[in-house]
Amino acid sequence: MKTVAVVDYGMGNLRSVAQAVLHVARDSGYEVLVTSRPEDVRAAERVVLPGQGAMPDCMRELADSGLRASVLEAAASKPLFGVCVGMQMLLDRSEEGPTDGLGLVHGQVLKFDLAGRLQPDGSRFKVPQMGWNQVFQTQPHPIWQGVPEASYFYFVHSYYVRPSDPRHSAGEADYGTRFTAAIARDNIFATQFHPEKSADQGLALYRNFLHWTP
């Protein structure tokens, strides 16, 4: 049976991610494996890289777990889906720390600077952004198949990515500023929001990921 590896390096929202992928994988021919073993990541057909918490902690745990090399190998050769901090880790560098990322998608991770800014209803912008927000698809992509434009997805984050090449931005959202909410490059797709917390539209992304042939 083909395998989707959900990478367990101690910093991801593993249970909810795994349950969401498991839900869409029924009758797909895929086994969903939450794993901390580099050999499982290397053997898997597809890889999901979750992440939550602080970027420096995530990068340190990925290295200390021995999984960093296998994730880089996976990103070079097979479909990879990054989630939340798992997306931020794909870029070159984050202001949080600051800390270096994996450098798989060139760009920076920046902190929201919204002090004193007011939302349309007169309330202040809060950081982190926490809750539902619309995502606007900035380029067609197989992962978006069947997902309506301007669908709502669930966010929890204080930092956002800015790819060096705008062509790597696959979706955008507004929170005091326009920011990249999804990135795509070759066999890599990643979202700042949490598909596993985003009801049917989030499940559609994971389902599309299982059938995506980059």
Side-chain angles (χ1 to χ4, degrees):
M1 182 175 283
K2 298 178 292 185
T3 302
V4 181
V6 180
V7 183
D8 178 8
Y9 57 100
M11 294 297 295
N13 190 17
L14 294 171
R15 187 176 184 278
S16 59
V17 171
Q19 287 299 316
V21 179
L22 192 63
H23 178 77
V24 301
R26 290 172 186 161
D27 302 320
S28 70
Y30 276 99
E31 176 187 8
V32 180
L33 180 65
V34 177
T35 183
S36 58
R37 292 158 44 96
E39 56 267 35
D40 290 339
V41 176
R42 291 188 173 98
E45 279 74 24
R46 297 170 188 270
V47 175
V48 178
L49 179 66
Q52 64 181 19
M55 171 93 161
D57 295 338
C58 288
M59 290 302 302
R60 182 186 65 251
E61 292 300 320
L62 184 66
D64 290 350
S65 67
L67 287 159
R68 188 179 190 276
S70 61
V71 168
L72 287 171
E73 290 173 27
S77 61
K78 61 189 69 174
L80 183 144
F81 197 126
V83 182
C84 195
V85 180
M87 176 173 94
Q88 296 177 7
M89 293 165 68
L90 302 176
L91 277 79
D92 293 315
R93 190 165 176 80
S94 174
E95 288 185 336
E96 189 175 15
T99 188
D100 290 333
L102 296 171
L104 293 166
V105 177
H106 292 311
Q108 305 293 316
V109 183
L110 309 174
K111 187 172 186 177
F112 280 121
D113 183 12
L114 302 174
R117 299 278 304 281
L118 298 180
Q119 301 194 64
D121 64 2
S123 63
R124 292 184 180 275
F125 280 100
K126 295 180 180 179
V127 178
Q129 176 188 197
M130 186 178 300
W132 296 85
N133 202 350
Q134 286 180 292
V135 174
F136 304 94
Q137 300 168 23
T138 52
Q139 60 171 287
H141 194 282
I143 301 293
W144 291 130
Q145 183 178 349
V147 177
E149 168 68 349
S151 291
Y152 281 85
F153 294 90
Y154 191 82
F155 290 82
V156 182
H157 64 126
S158 300
Y159 293 80
Y160 63 95
V161 303
R162 180 178 291 167
S164 299
D165 188 339
R167 292 176 298 179
H168 292 152
S169 178
E172 295 180 346
D174 288 300
Y175 193 68
T177 186
R178 192 83 162 186
F179 69 92
T180 294
I183 58 175
R185 197 221 74 195
D186 301 328
N187 57 302
I188 295 171
F189 192 91
T191 63
Q192 181 61 65
F193 54 84
H194 289 271
E196 69 281 358
K197 297 180 181 180
S198 300
D200 290 347
Q201 304 304 345
L203 291 176
L205 298 186
Y206 284 140
R207 186 178 295 110
N208 290 338
F209 174 67
L210 293 184
H211 300 285
W212 177 34
T213 304

